[in-house]
Amino acid sequence: MVKTNAGRFFEDYQIGQVIGHAVPRTVSGGERALYHMLYPARHALYSSDSFAQACGLAGSPLDDLAAFHVVFGKTVPDVSLNAVANLGYAEGRWLKPVWPGDTLRSVSEVIGLKQNSNGKTGVVWVRTEGLNQHDEVVLRYVRWVMVKKRDTDAPAPDAVVPDLAPVLAVADLAIPKGLDFSNYDFDLAGEPHRWGDYEVGEKIDHVDGVTVEEAEHMMATRLWQNTSKVHFDGTMREDGKRLIYGGHVISLARTLSFNGLASAQMIVGLNAGAHANPCFAGDTVRAWSEVLDKAETDVPGVGAIRLRLVATKGGAPFDLRGEDGKYLPSVLLDLDYWALMPV
Amino acid sequence: MVKTNAGRFFEDYQIGQVIGHAVPRTVSGGERALYHMLYPARHALYSSDSFAQACGLAGSPLDDLAAFHVVFGKTVPDVSLNAVANLGYAEGRWLKPVWPGDTLRSVSEVIGLKQNSNGKTGVVWVRTEGLNQHDEVVLRYVRWVMVKKRDTDAPAPDAVVPDLAPVLAVADLAIPKGLDFSNYDFDLAGEPHRWGDYEVGEKIDHVDGVTVEEAEHMMATRLWQNTSKVHFDGTMREDGKRLIYGGHVISLARTLSFNGLASAQMIVGLNAGAHANPCFAGDTVRAWSEVLDKAETDVPGVGAIRLRLVATKGGAPFDLRGEDGKYLPSVLLDLDYWALMPV
Amino acid sequence: MVKTNAGRFFEDYQIGQVIGHAVPRTVSGGERALYHMLYPARHALYSSDSFAQACGLAGSPLDDLAAFHVVFGKTVPDVSLNAVANLGYAEGRWLKPVWPGDTLRSVSEVIGLKQNSNGKTGVVWVRTEGLNQHDEVVLRYVRWVMVKKRDTDAPAPDAVVPDLAPVLAVADLAIPKGLDFSNYDFDLAGEPHRWGDYEVGEKIDHVDGVTVEEAEHMMATRLWQNTSKVHFDGTMREDGKRLIYGGHVISLARTLSFNGLASAQMIVGLNAGAHANPCFAGDTVRAWSEVLDKAETDVPGVGAIRLRLVATKGGAPFDLRGEDGKYLPSVLLDLDYWALMPV
């Protein structure tokens, strides 16, 4: 009797299936310190309890992306162990801050299935929720992955492709209870620019670069208890390199975006995301952003800004796609998210 | 007057000598987070306060092996700075959980001495205790090392070879106060198999592999305040490589064993252990286990399982020794321990 | 409109200018654990709450150099982003311990300006203060850096060179409230030698070495939110190497000095410091110390010891300068500081 988890294959999923993922995780000040060690994280709301308190919160929450990685990591053994590709994200909503001492677990529901025409793989859509120890949903998002079939002769399921919003409506963004930017300290935030200073269509080159080492991305990915073999096992490729977890690139790009977007404090919505090309140790990751939209919110002083965040390894700033419409080889990530910023 | 510690040589030890090791250490949520970053640690009892509370504990303790490494690390400057080889472990017992906020220190007693026939080295046996800030013993184990003589002309001591139990009796395993697996959540644990599902003689290939980097093992070893030069100083070998601390391999293998043994939650006994071959950066570490024994305990619902844990760098799963009876070159570690599992 | 921070150039500074640096930072047990992971840190007062309490403190503070790095890191975007060289430190005083839970921010005042004769660069002196959440100054020091001019035609300011003490007077050293070495446990400290055992002029070779990896120094430097590009971006040099943050070398050398100076517990004064040569991944860092001075303090049992701490990458112990009076190429750091030691 084999006792190890071989992961699910395409024919193991059914529409409506609910998967409670294993290994709940309590986070502490340790995870916060590590996020600062692994990424050039400088957003003041996540760095300083005092700053967060001046913004109406009880203290500094766990970085939104750290919460995302913890929730995501738990889904890997059940959703993407046999995935060929991580295809996309949609309708990602951060619903409650995660505090030191909270325990997170994840649950996913299968909401879409579509076998590919080659008969060897299929696409699985799951809606994943991260819950805290009070069973409150702190985060919810959809992702879809291409998964291998165990048996190519297994019958194809009826195709169900979920109807996903291309962009979250501003009304759907959850603004943390108590958040108040009326006493926002722009000097301490490290950013003279406020919501009103950004224009739709504006592009920002974040200038700084980070050359990634194997040890760093493995430690980050392990911290989120992500078990995907390709990130850790150097024998899976001839060059000994390990494929860097896409979420590591997201966090690198987001933290690099401090330089120009330091007041895009809280991520509240993930509209879309594509991992355009693989990232490997030795690559120097840079980032640029584009303001896609802006909106007022119900909370006085709090504006929403929709940003495209692009991570690159070489190439000129603001390059994205070639004449063929495909991502350039230098593009690693194209992410579309909503953040909260003082008006 | 030389003020640096040159370490003890074989003739510096006497039977009955008690050595109080330096540098007590307070552990916190930081050490827990780091254990998750450095190893693919996923055992739920050590990951989640909620899960540990559902198992009757006050919260999630420090990982048993992290406690072992902290206690062990303190002994290095006094016991193994001039060691040629770490020969074995026996009678290791975890007596109390270590909690965030606890301060650990270590004390060793010399219980065995035997000069080698070459007259240049000798074997030293010590029984080491780790104590918390309440002077409670949290961990006790015997290890023996081969140590250089300072002066080969120094007379040999009377040989004293301690009588060590080859395997701890189940009655000697300390089950943490309050531990209760009656509400054990197998889904959250990530393991459908319970104690009753494992058979003596059964072998489990843990499948996953981790390719180790210099930065990772040095950071781990430093975290435990282990000062052995060979782990940090690249000038000690011609190839610039640093010998990886054997305890790093133990923790890698144990955490890899989650995949197939996720409910072997708590380590309570260390029967024996051999570091069969050295491990270096670039090696891809894998693990397999063999069920050596099973026993019921006094606590309802809590079973004891005795496991052989083997770490390898290459080779086929379950390979251990060659026709000559010696460990194969691909075998890094052969560990024999008792763990607690829900019946 | 460019939104990224291009940093200040020489002509952007004026005497008396006060710069409030961005991104306050709350520290926790996580930062303490990381300091132990990144450096061979073993000074008992910073490792153990129990030991610190036996020395009259409320618990174990954040390591003095970790506090220094946090305060220093915040100044980089405002002071040294366009610096050509970090020229020196003076009058560094640790005024209050930093506790887990404290939030630190930094403020600098420009106290000196002198354009270089080449007209392309100038020297800027700043006095930096680190403050906690109670607006108490925990640390104050002067450093000076050589900064590029944006426009070489910009007029030179009147030269103002501050009058800095070459060495802090013992009366200026702040001894933490409550510090009491009368019950000092030399065994737990790992050091048989007390203040009275060290002689002025005595030199100590700290013996141990650490071969540095890119991942380690980048993680350390990032942890302190130091944003200087040269430490992270491998495309800035042809060999792909990243220049190691000088403060990383300071912490490596200080922690290596445990072996011989384990009871030089608290750093209270920084008299001077020079980063003699750059450090790169692959270098094996060693350290030696020289006792420069000794003094009694107002607090019974607490002695002050003034130490030269030299970090090297090769070369013989105690080598410092060549016949030309210049630092030898193997010398990385020459630091002059005051520490507190049990009499």
Side-chain angles (χ1 to χ4, degrees):
Chain A
M1 180 174 53
V2 170
K3 291 208 163 61
T4 46
N5 173 25
R8 284 178 175 77
F9 291 86
F10 182 65
E11 57 265 48
D12 298 326
Y13 296 94
Q14 298 96 38
I15 294 291
Q17 186 180 5
V18 173
I19 304 168
H21 305 295
V23 190
R25 167 74 167 273
T26 304
V27 296
S28 77
E31 276 76 8
R32 180 160 82 183
L34 288 180
Y35 200 77
H36 282 95
M37 189 185 81
L38 293 164
Y39 304 107
R42 297 183 70 227
H43 288 88
L45 196 69
Y46 299 93
S47 176
S48 162
D49 282 343
S50 305
F51 191 93
Q53 286 155 3
C55 292
L57 303 182
S60 187
L62 190 69
D63 190 279
D64 307 310
L65 289 177
F68 176 79
H69 296 317
V70 170
V71 171
F72 181 101
K74 312 207 163 317
T75 71
V76 168
D78 296 309
V79 175
S80 43
L81 214 57
N82 299 307
V84 184
N86 193 26
L87 298 172
Y89 309 98
E91 298 186 0
R93 296 171 68 207
W94 280 259
L95 298 168
K96 285 196 174 273
V98 176
W99 307 105
D102 277 2
T103 298
L104 299 181
R105 61 187 176 90
S106 305
V107 176
S108 297
E109 183 182 351
V110 179
I111 60 167
L113 287 173
K114 185 169 185 293
Q115 183 166 310
N116 287 324
S117 53
N118 62 15
K120 295 180 182 164
T121 56
V123 179
V124 180
W125 284 258
V126 293
R127 188 181 302 274
T128 296
E129 288 185 345
L131 299 103
N132 64 19
Q133 71 276 24
H134 308 299
D135 289 331
E136 297 167 329
V137 179
V138 298
L139 172 63
R140 183 183 288 134
Y141 66 91
V142 174
R143 77 161 165 143
W144 53 106
V145 291
M146 192 189 300
V147 179
K148 281 184 246 181
K149 291 183 75 173
R150 183 186 294 109
D151 171 9
T152 53
D153 292 335
D158 292 337
V160 176
V161 176
D163 186 25
L164 298 168
V167 180
L168 283 165
V170 176
D172 286 336
L173 305 179
I175 299 178
K177 210 174 151 181
L179 190 72
D180 179 357
F181 285 153
S182 53
N183 294 313
Y184 191 86
D185 187 325
F186 289 84
D187 286 341
L188 279 184
E191 180 64 72
H193 306 99
R194 53 176 72 229
W195 184 82
D197 295 327
Y198 293 88
E199 286 174 37
V200 174
E202 181 177 353
K203 291 179 180 175
I204 301 162
D205 175 11
H206 299 301
V207 179
D208 301 311
V210 173
T211 308
V212 184
E213 299 289 313
E214 297 281 12
E216 292 171 309
H217 77 83
M218 288 200 293
M219 285 194 282
T221 307
R222 213 150 34 207
L223 181 61
W224 317 126
Q225 297 176 312
N226 181 325
T227 58
S228 186
K229 293 181 215 295
V230 292
H231 307 318
F232 302 106
D233 185 341
T235 65
M236 298 191 73
R237 292 170 52 95
E238 287 204 1
D239 61 8
K241 287 191 174 183
R242 282 135 270 179
L243 185 66
I244 293 179
Y245 163 49
H248 190 63
V249 176
I250 295 177
S251 277
L252 277 173
R254 158 70 175 165
T255 50
L256 286 169
S257 79
F258 176 93
N259 199 346
L261 281 166
S263 284
Q265 291 283 358
M266 306 194 89
I267 298 185
V268 285
L270 177 60
N271 297 309
H275 296 290
N277 284 289
C279 184
F280 295 103
D283 288 346
T284 298
V285 177
R286 295 175 200 282
W288 58 269
S289 293
E290 179 182 0
V291 181
L292 296 177
D293 201 359
K294 289 172 62 180
E296 294 183 359
T297 75
D298 290 344
V299 179
V302 176
I305 187 165
R306 185 182 154 211
L307 295 158
R308 158 174 282 160
L309 174 62
V310 176
T312 64
K313 50 172 179 179
F318 314 135
D319 281 358
L320 187 65
R321 293 178 185 274
E323 290 183 7
D324 57 2
K326 292 186 180 163
Y327 286 115
L328 293 168
S330 59
V331 172
L332 296 168
L333 171 77
D334 182 11
L335 200 80
D336 178 342
Y337 71 102
W338 280 107
L340 301 181
M341 197 183 262
V343 175
Chain B
M1 182 174 55
V2 170
K3 290 209 164 59
T4 46
N5 174 26
R8 282 178 176 78
F9 291 85
F10 181 65
E11 58 264 50
D12 298 326
Y13 296 94
Q14 297 97 39
I15 294 292
Q17 185 179 6
V18 174
I19 304 169
H21 305 295
V23 190
R25 168 73 167 273
T26 305
V27 297
S28 76
E31 276 76 8
R32 180 160 81 184
L34 287 180
Y35 200 78
H36 283 95
M37 187 184 83
L38 292 164
Y39 304 107
R42 297 181 72 226
H43 287 88
L45 196 68
Y46 300 93
S47 176
S48 162
D49 283 342
S50 305
F51 191 93
Q53 286 155 4
C55 292
L57 303 182
S60 186
L62 190 69
D63 190 278
D64 307 311
L65 289 177
F68 176 80
H69 297 317
V70 169
V71 171
F72 181 101
K74 309 207 164 317
T75 71
V76 169
D78 296 309
V79 174
S80 45
L81 215 57
N82 299 307
V84 184
N86 194 25
L87 298 172
Y89 309 98
E91 299 186 0
R93 296 171 67 207
W94 281 257
L95 299 167
K96 285 195 174 274
V98 176
W99 308 105
D102 278 1
T103 298
L104 300 180
R105 61 188 177 89
S106 305
V107 176
S108 296
E109 182 182 351
V110 179
I111 61 166
L113 287 174
K114 184 168 185 291
Q115 183 166 310
N116 286 324
S117 53
N118 63 15
K120 295 180 183 164
T121 56
V123 179
V124 180
W125 283 259
V126 293
R127 188 180 304 273
T128 297
E129 290 186 344
L131 299 103
N132 65 18
Q133 70 277 20
H134 309 299
D135 289 330
E136 298 167 329
V137 179
V138 299
L139 172 63
R140 184 183 288 134
Y141 65 92
V142 172
R143 78 160 163 141
W144 54 105
V145 292
M146 192 189 300
V147 179
K148 278 183 248 182
K149 291 182 75 174
R150 183 188 292 108
D151 171 10
T152 52
D153 293 335
D158 292 337
V160 176
V161 175
D163 186 26
L164 298 169
V167 180
L168 283 164
V170 176
D172 286 336
L173 306 179
I175 299 179
K177 211 176 150 180
L179 190 73
D180 178 357
F181 285 153
S182 54
N183 294 314
Y184 191 85
D185 187 325
F186 288 85
D187 287 340
L188 279 184
E191 179 65 71
H193 306 98
R194 55 177 70 231
W195 183 82
D197 297 325
Y198 293 88
E199 286 174 37
V200 174
E202 180 177 354
K203 291 180 180 175
I204 301 161
D205 175 9
H206 299 301
V207 180
D208 303 309
V210 172
T211 307
V212 185
E213 299 290 313
E214 297 280 14
E216 291 171 309
H217 78 81
M218 287 199 293
M219 285 193 283
T221 307
R222 213 152 31 208
L223 180 61
W224 318 125
Q225 298 178 313
N226 181 326
T227 58
S228 186
K229 293 180 215 295
V230 292
H231 307 317
F232 302 106
D233 186 341
T235 65
M236 298 190 74
R237 290 171 54 96
E238 286 203 0
D239 61 9
K241 288 191 173 182
R242 281 136 271 178
L243 185 66
I244 293 179
Y245 163 48
H248 189 64
V249 177
I250 294 177
S251 276
L252 277 173
R254 156 71 175 164
T255 50
L256 286 169
S257 79
F258 175 93
N259 198 346
L261 280 167
S263 285
Q265 290 284 358
M266 306 194 89
I267 299 184
V268 286
L270 177 60
N271 297 310
H275 298 288
N277 284 290
C279 183
F280 295 103
D283 288 346
T284 298
V285 178
R286 296 175 199 282
W288 59 268
S289 294
E290 178 182 0
V291 180
L292 296 177
D293 200 359
K294 288 172 63 180
E296 294 183 2
T297 75
D298 291 343
V299 179
V302 176
I305 186 166
R306 184 181 154 211
L307 295 158
R308 158 173 281 159
L309 174 62
V310 177
T312 64
K313 50 172 181 181
F318 314 134
D319 280 358
L320 186 66
R321 294 178 186 274
E323 291 183 8
D324 56 2
K326 292 186 181 163
Y327 286 114
L328 293 168
S330 60
V331 173
L332 296 169
L333 171 77
D334 182 10
L335 200 79
D336 177 341
Y337 71 102
W338 281 107
L340 301 180
M341 197 182 262
V343 176
Chain C
M1 181 174 55
V2 170
K3 290 208 164 61
T4 45
N5 173 26
R8 283 178 175 77
F9 291 86
F10 182 65
E11 57 265 49
D12 297 327
Y13 295 95
Q14 297 97 38
I15 295 292
Q17 186 179 5
V18 173
I19 304 169
H21 305 294
V23 190
R25 167 73 167 275
T26 304
V27 295
S28 76
E31 276 77 8
R32 180 160 81 183
L34 288 180
Y35 199 78
H36 283 95
M37 188 185 82
L38 293 164
Y39 304 107
R42 298 182 70 227
H43 288 87
L45 197 69
Y46 299 93
S47 177
S48 161
D49 283 343
S50 305
F51 191 94
Q53 286 156 4
C55 293
L57 303 182
S60 187
L62 189 70
D63 189 280
D64 307 310
L65 288 177
F68 176 80
H69 296 319
V70 170
V71 171
F72 182 101
K74 311 208 163 316
T75 71
V76 169
D78 296 309
V79 174
S80 43
L81 215 58
N82 299 306
V84 184
N86 194 26
L87 297 173
Y89 309 97
E91 298 185 0
R93 296 172 66 208
W94 280 259
L95 299 168
K96 284 193 175 275
V98 176
W99 307 105
D102 278 0
T103 298
L104 299 180
R105 62 188 176 88
S106 305
V107 176
S108 296
E109 182 182 351
V110 179
I111 61 166
L113 287 174
K114 184 167 182 295
Q115 183 166 310
N116 286 324
S117 53
N118 63 15
K120 294 179 181 165
T121 56
V123 180
V124 180
W125 284 258
V126 293
R127 189 181 301 275
T128 296
E129 289 185 346
L131 300 103
N132 66 17
Q133 70 276 23
H134 308 300
D135 289 331
E136 296 168 329
V137 179
V138 298
L139 172 62
R140 183 185 288 135
Y141 65 91
V142 173
R143 79 160 164 142
W144 54 106
V145 291
M146 193 189 299
V147 180
K148 280 183 245 180
K149 292 182 75 173
R150 182 187 294 106
D151 171 9
T152 52
D153 293 334
D158 292 338
V160 175
V161 176
D163 186 26
L164 298 169
V167 181
L168 283 165
V170 175
D172 286 336
L173 306 178
I175 299 178
K177 211 174 150 179
L179 190 72
D180 179 357
F181 285 152
S182 53
N183 294 314
Y184 192 85
D185 188 325
F186 289 84
D187 287 340
L188 279 184
E191 179 65 71
H193 305 98
R194 53 177 70 228
W195 183 82
D197 296 324
Y198 293 89
E199 285 174 38
V200 174
E202 181 177 354
K203 291 179 180 176
I204 301 162
D205 175 9
H206 299 300
V207 179
D208 302 310
V210 173
T211 307
V212 185
E213 298 290 312
E214 296 281 13
E216 292 170 308
H217 77 82
M218 289 200 292
M219 286 194 283
T221 307
R222 213 151 33 208
L223 181 61
W224 318 125
Q225 298 177 313
N226 181 327
T227 59
S228 186
K229 293 180 215 295
V230 292
H231 307 318
F232 302 105
D233 185 341
T235 66
M236 299 191 74
R237 291 171 52 96
E238 287 204 0
D239 60 9
K241 288 192 173 181
R242 281 134 271 178
L243 185 66
I244 293 179
Y245 163 48
H248 190 63
V249 177
I250 294 177
S251 276
L252 277 173
R254 157 70 176 166
T255 50
L256 286 169
S257 80
F258 176 92
N259 198 346
L261 281 166
S263 284
Q265 290 284 359
M266 307 194 89
I267 299 185
V268 285
L270 177 60
N271 297 309
H275 296 290
N277 284 290
C279 183
F280 295 103
D283 288 346
T284 298
V285 177
R286 295 174 199 282
W288 57 269
S289 294
E290 179 182 359
V291 180
L292 296 177
D293 201 359
K294 288 173 61 179
E296 295 184 359
T297 75
D298 290 344
V299 178
V302 177
I305 187 166
R306 185 181 155 211
L307 295 158
R308 157 174 281 158
L309 174 63
V310 176
T312 63
K313 51 172 179 180
F318 314 133
D319 280 357
L320 187 65
R321 294 178 185 275
E323 291 184 6
D324 56 3
K326 292 186 181 163
Y327 285 115
L328 294 168
S330 59
V331 173
L332 296 168
L333 171 77
D334 182 10
L335 200 79
D336 177 342
Y337 71 102
W338 281 107
L340 301 180
M341 197 182 262
V343 175

